[in-house]
């Protein structure tokens, strides 16, 4: 009978938390007690671990007259999920003296199946990064999580397929003793090779390009400005004019994520179980349906979890049929659009999630979509009033670019679709080159500051960084008074003008840049 202690970890919201697994075994009637605020999945680990140990050639806790107490510390942290299975099994075998190894500087992560196989878990990348900071040298993870974990440098990652493989690696002598039937055991595991960031290119077959959209040159120009400066966009116009296609094409204009940004985005998607490749190198594009719940988009729950706006971090969130979303969802965008973070508070705790995204919203001019077009509008005054009330002034004021997507003539569609010579993405590639050049100018301008794009400029530094001619300020002041722009609206026009100047490779913002920026100011859709 004995005692053992080793380390595992879990994801709490998006934050990795180290958890100590302590096991004490004493003689007595068979009992198994697990303490430390476990949820149902953790409580059920007793049955999974017992079966996995038995089917790996050892006697399970249920086959012995033992009093087993397992403590997961810190006790005040709610323990969730099956991530502790592997650690509990190894700690039990160590405490019962079935195996012998030094657990210091080692961490064990993984769910166990009944036959001893190690199954994948969520949030491995964040946990391994935290383990490295705390000085752990060897991390044992499921094989499916190995490439993701191996993105972290200066820590050895091992990925056994089964509990037996792990035991054999850590205690080869016990494997030899159990090898009575001549069954061959792997004598040791090799550390997982470090995962090298690969440039994952989108499939041309499924990707939506600006070249796929016929006409709508004004809208394309607006999206180019938005991509270059990180500006929020509202696309409005009648149904079937290409608003959704424009939004989907927008994400292809954005540059690939840097390695640090890719790690950050990958860790977020891994924590919520949405990771489908070892490293996400492209900005995420999230498009929740307008019937999605408040919690699914914003985040929350008894144990706060991130929502769609956090999954869109460093990328784009597209809200089609914008006024049809629940009003609470629309109003909840106020904080993240300004602060680039979202804080979810509950009675016992609060969690802060990153939410630095570009908002692309799309809407019709009225519920039926025909208002202002050649077709008859069937909406009643009450329908229009209800539709308008969905979008408050503070939300509309946070939109940088208002882009009208009007009806396109059918003849243009026929003429454009016959142009298939040369590169099918020629227009998009030229646009991306201009955006990349504008982005490099911004990087140079903000190299000593936290902001990276013009849209992120704060009131303190906006006058200095905009670098506009005197005539520009005279014009914008007159326009602001005439249109009754708010202080936020005034600054947003200047920031959009700065982005247009960058696209034109102009050191200073000129009147022509400001005049173009004013074309994208808030439009009276509901009048």
């Amino acid at each position: 009978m004995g005692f053992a202690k080793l380390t595992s970890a879990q994801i709490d919201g998006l934050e990795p938390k180290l958890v100590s697994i302590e096991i004490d075994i004493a003689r007595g009637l068979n009992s198994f007690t697990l303490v430390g605020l476990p949820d149902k999945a953790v409580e059920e680990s007793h049955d999974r671990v017992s079966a996995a140990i038995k089917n790996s050639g050892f006697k399970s806790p249920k086959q012995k007259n033992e009093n087993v107490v397992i403590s997961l510390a810190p006790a005040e942290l709610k323990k969730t999920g099956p991530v502790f299975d592997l650690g509990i099994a190894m700690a039990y075998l160590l405490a019962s003296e079935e195996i012998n190894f030094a657990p210091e500087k080692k961490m064990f992560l993984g769910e166990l199946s009944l036959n001893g196989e190690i199954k994948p878990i969520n949030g491995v990348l964040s946990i391994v990064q935290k383990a490295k900071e705390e000085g752990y040298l060897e991390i044992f993870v499921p094989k499916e999580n190995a490439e993701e974990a191996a993105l972290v440098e200066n820590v050895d990652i091992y990925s056994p397929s089964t509990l037996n493989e792990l035991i054999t690696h850590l205690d080869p002598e016990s494997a030899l003793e159990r090898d009575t039937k001549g069954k061959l055991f792997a004598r040791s595991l090799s550390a997982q090779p470090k995962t090298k960031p690969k440039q994952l290119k989108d499939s041309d077959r499924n990707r939506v390009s600006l070249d796929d959209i016929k006409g709508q040159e004004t809208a394309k120009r607006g999206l180019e400005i938005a991509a270059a400066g990180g500006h929020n966009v509202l696309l409005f116009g009648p149904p079937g004019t290409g608003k959704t296609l424009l939004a989907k094409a927008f994400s292809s204009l954005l540059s690939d994520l840097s390695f640090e940004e890719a790690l950050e985005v990958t860790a977020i998607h891994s924590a919520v179980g949405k990771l489908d490749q070892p490293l996400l190198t492209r900005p995420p594009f999230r498009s929740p349906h307008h019937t999605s719940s408040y919690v699914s988009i914003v985040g929350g729950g008894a144990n706060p979890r991130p929502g769609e706006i956090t999954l869109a971090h460093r990328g784009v969130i597209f809200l089609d049929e914008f006024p049809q979303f629940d009003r609470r969802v629309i109003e909840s965008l106020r904080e993240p659009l300004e602060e680039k973070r979202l804080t979810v508070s509950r009675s016992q705790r609060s969690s802060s999630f990153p939410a630095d995204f570009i908002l692309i919203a799309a809407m019709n001019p009225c519920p039926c979509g025909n208002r202002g077009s050649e077709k008859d509008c069937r909406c009643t005054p009450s329908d229009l009033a209800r539709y308008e009330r969905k979008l408050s002034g503070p939300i509309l004021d946070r939109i940088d670019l208002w882009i009208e997507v009007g009806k396109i003539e059918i003849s243009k569609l026929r003429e454009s679709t016959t142009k298939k010579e040369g590169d099918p993405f020629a227009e998009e590639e030229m646009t991306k080159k201009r955006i990349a050049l504008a982005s490099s100018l911004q990087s140079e301008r903000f190299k000593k500051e936290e902001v990276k794009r013009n849209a992120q400029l704060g009131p303190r530094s906006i006058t200095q960084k905009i670098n506009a001619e005197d005539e520009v300020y005279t014009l914008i002041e007159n326009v602001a008074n005439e249109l009754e722009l708010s202080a936020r609206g005034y600054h947003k026009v200047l920031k959009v003008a700065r982005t247009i100047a960058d696209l034109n490779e102009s050191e200073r913002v000129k009147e022509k840049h400001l005049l173009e920026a004013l074309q994208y100011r808030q439009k009276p859709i509901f009048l």
Side-chain angles (χ1 to χ4, degrees):
M1 304 301 101
F3 170 84
K5 177 181 178 181
L6 49 76
T7 305
S8 187
Q10 73 170 31
I11 291 293
D12 183 31
L14 287 179
E15 187 177 355
K17 299 285 189 180
L18 302 189
V19 175
S20 295
I21 301 175
E22 301 177 351
I23 291 190
D24 181 74
I25 302 176
R27 295 190 184 278
L29 296 177
N30 186 278
S31 67
F32 188 98
T33 305
L34 199 155
V35 299
L37 285 182
D39 70 353
K40 190 64 176 177
V42 179
E43 288 179 348
E44 292 172 348
S45 64
H46 174 216
D47 296 318
R48 293 192 299 270
V49 169
S50 295
I53 289 175
K54 176 178 70 70
N55 292 320
S56 297
F58 298 92
K59 285 188 176 182
S60 75
K62 293 185 177 182
Q63 295 173 315
K64 301 178 182 180
N65 291 324
E66 295 176 341
N67 185 347
V68 181
V69 178
I70 300 179
S71 174
L72 304 178
E76 71 273 8
L77 175 66
K78 180 73 173 179
K79 313 304 185 303
T80 59
V83 64
F84 306 111
D85 286 4
L86 185 60
I88 291 173
M90 296 301 293
Y92 172 79
L93 292 172
L94 188 60
S96 62
E97 300 179 354
E98 297 274 6
I99 61 175
N100 182 35
F101 70 94
E104 292 78 16
K105 301 299 181 181
K106 296 180 176 66
M107 182 177 289
F108 300 86
L109 309 168
E111 176 185 351
L112 286 175
S113 63
L114 300 185
N115 65 353
E117 292 181 357
I118 303 175
K119 302 172 70 174
I121 58 171
N122 297 333
V124 165
L125 179 57
S126 296
I127 292 174
V128 174
Q129 289 174 320
K130 180 68 172 179
K132 175 189 173 182
E133 294 175 3
E134 297 295 329
Y136 287 84
L137 303 177
E138 298 180 17
I139 316 294
F140 298 91
V141 303
K143 189 169 288 293
E144 291 84 350
N145 298 120
E147 283 190 280
E148 175 190 348
L151 288 166
V152 182
E153 297 284 348
N154 302 322
V155 61
D156 291 331
I157 304 298
Y158 296 94
S159 56
S161 299
T162 65
L163 182 60
N164 245 329
E165 281 191 17
L166 176 56
I167 294 170
T168 303
H169 171 74
L170 293 174
D171 188 7
E173 293 184 5
S174 69
L176 291 173
E177 293 175 0
R178 291 182 290 119
D179 194 8
T180 56
K181 297 181 181 180
K183 183 179 179 180
L184 295 176
F185 285 86
R187 295 306 174 214
S188 64
L189 296 170
S190 299
Q192 175 76 16
K194 293 303 171 188
T195 302
K196 297 180 180 180
K198 298 177 181 179
Q199 200 65 30
L200 303 176
K201 295 184 178 180
D202 295 334
S203 171
D204 289 347
R205 180 183 303 174
N206 300 320
R207 182 162 64 92
V208 177
S209 164
L210 283 184
D211 299 80
D212 297 325
I213 303 168
K214 313 310 174 187
Q216 306 296 5
E217 301 305 323
T218 301
K220 291 179 181 179
R221 172 61 174 174
L223 293 184
E224 178 183 345
I225 297 169
H231 302 287
N232 301 314
V233 175
L234 176 65
L235 302 169
F236 64 96
T241 54
K243 298 187 294 296
T244 301
L245 273 179
L246 285 164
K248 290 181 178 179
F250 176 78
S251 63
S252 65
L253 298 179
L254 301 178
S255 302
D256 293 324
L257 300 172
S258 67
F259 183 61
E260 291 74 17
E261 291 172 339
L263 285 179
E264 183 182 18
V265 171
T266 301
I268 292 172
H269 286 248
S270 174
V272 297
K274 301 291 185 180
L275 189 65
D276 55 2
Q277 59 193 52
L279 183 67
L280 299 177
T281 61
R282 291 290 303 154
F285 180 84
R286 307 296 299 182
S287 180
H289 193 261
H290 65 265
T291 59
S292 301
S293 68
Y294 171 82
V295 172
S296 68
I297 294 180
V298 178
N303 293 312
R305 288 172 54 85
E308 289 289 336
I309 62 175
T310 299
L311 291 174
H313 182 60
R314 303 292 185 191
V316 180
I317 186 166
F318 173 48
L319 301 183
D320 203 0
E321 303 295 342
F322 193 39
Q324 301 295 350
F325 280 84
D326 184 84
R327 184 176 176 84
R328 286 204 309 158
V329 172
I330 297 175
E331 293 303 316
S332 68
L333 295 175
R334 294 188 189 188
E335 179 186 353
L337 286 176
E338 288 291 321
E339 304 299 330
K340 305 304 179 184
R341 293 195 69 84
L342 174 70
T343 301
V344 179
S345 298
R346 294 296 179 263
S347 58
Q348 296 184 357
R349 56 172 300 182
S350 64
S351 298
S352 181
F353 302 130
D356 185 2
F357 57 84
I358 297 175
L359 170 66
I360 304 292
M363 61 177 289
N364 298 322
C366 67
C368 77
N370 296 330
R371 193 179 189 196
S373 67
E374 298 174 355
K375 299 180 181 180
D376 293 332
C377 177
R378 302 187 302 272
C379 301
T380 65
S382 60
D383 292 334
L384 295 174
R386 191 181 308 110
Y387 194 69
E388 179 179 356
R389 283 197 301 268
K390 281 296 210 53
L391 303 179
S392 66
I395 286 296
L396 297 180
D397 204 35
R398 285 166 166 80
I399 304 296
D400 301 354
L401 300 172
W402 288 58
I403 302 176
E404 184 173 4
V405 185
K407 182 180 178 181
I408 184 171
E409 296 180 7
I410 300 300
S411 59
K412 288 188 176 181
L413 296 177
R414 178 174 54 81
E415 292 173 0
S416 299
T417 52
T418 61
K419 295 182 179 181
K420 293 294 183 181
E421 299 178 1
D423 185 359
F425 302 119
E427 179 184 358
E428 182 181 279
E429 291 303 318
M430 293 179 62
T431 303
K432 290 178 69 173
K433 288 180 180 179
R434 293 194 296 269
I435 292 172
L437 178 58
S439 298
S440 65
L441 293 175
Q442 293 172 66
S443 298
E444 180 65 23
R445 183 182 304 125
F446 305 135
K447 61 183 178 181
K448 295 183 179 180
E449 301 186 24
E450 294 183 1
V451 300
K452 296 182 179 180
R453 298 176 293 191
N454 290 328
Q456 298 173 332
L457 270 174
R460 288 185 178 180
S461 57
I462 190 168
T463 303
Q464 178 184 1
K465 296 298 182 181
I466 290 299
N467 191 20
E469 296 178 346
D470 294 338
E471 295 81 359
V472 169
Y473 287 110
T474 302
L475 177 59
I476 185 59
E477 288 172 6
N478 293 334
V479 171
N481 292 328
E482 182 71 22
L483 299 181
E484 297 182 350
L485 295 180
S486 66
R488 182 188 290 114
Y490 169 84
H491 287 148
K492 285 189 178 298
V493 171
L494 286 176
K495 288 186 280 190
V496 171
R498 178 66 264 175
T499 300
I500 295 172
D502 289 336
L503 286 169
N504 292 341
E505 301 180 49
S506 174
E507 182 178 351
R508 305 200 70 183
V509 175
K510 301 179 180 179
E511 279 194 21
K512 62 179 181 179
H513 305 140
L514 180 64
L515 290 173
E516 183 177 0
L518 287 169
Q519 295 179 23
Y520 297 104
R521 272 309 301 153
Q522 183 173 341
K523 305 294 192 304
I525 300 175
F526 304 112
L527 296 180

